Amino acid sequence: IPAIGIGTWALRRNTSEVIAMAIQNGFRHIDAAWIYNNQRDVGLGIKEGLRRTGMKREDIWVTSKLWNDRHADKVSQGLEETLQQLGLDYLDLWLVHFPV
């Protein structure tokens, strides 16, 4: 896991640009979560940051999290929704946001 990362909690304005600039400035770990309600913009920022730097998806580490109402029977659905929102084919790490 890259040592330098950016969390996306509470990013509400200019989210895509913040993430793109973070990638340009050496951040290689993007930490997202479904409950942050900004994964679409985070994904657009990842795409733009990779474009600007000429890097590939495998050059960064992306983490997201499974929310509490999906622990029992919606794990696959939660993962698919997260991947769709972020516009990615895979995550490097997917965490249980917090166990309940």
Side-chain angles (χ1 to χ4, degrees):
I1 300 175
I4 300 175
I6 185 169
T8 61
W9 180 73
L11 279 178
R12 298 290 177 257
R13 295 183 310 159
N14 304 318
T15 301
S16 297
E17 183 61 21
V18 168
I19 298 303
M21 288 182 65
I23 292 170
Q24 284 183 278
N25 286 288
F27 289 77
R28 297 296 178 257
H29 182 182
I30 310 299
D31 179 73
W34 177 85
I35 196 64
Y36 300 166
N37 200 32
N38 62 4
Q39 288 193 131
R40 289 192 196 285
D41 290 335
V42 170
L44 291 171
I46 289 171
K47 183 177 181 178
E48 179 62 17
L50 295 177
R51 186 194 67 75
R52 290 178 188 176
T53 60
M55 293 174 21
K56 297 179 181 175
R57 164 61 184 93
E58 57 267 19
D59 296 327
I60 63 170
W61 181 281
V62 180
T63 298
S64 192
K65 301 168 196 82
L66 175 69
W67 188 240
N68 300 334
D69 67 350
R70 296 170 180 224
H71 293 181
D73 60 351
K74 298 179 184 174
V75 174
S76 295
Q77 178 186 355
L79 177 60
E80 288 304 317
E81 186 175 347
T82 288
L83 291 172
Q84 182 180 34
Q85 287 177 355
L86 289 168
L88 300 176
D89 295 328
Y90 68 94
L91 294 171
D92 298 287
L93 179 63
W94 199 43
L95 302 170
V96 172
H97 202 123
F98 60 90
V100 293

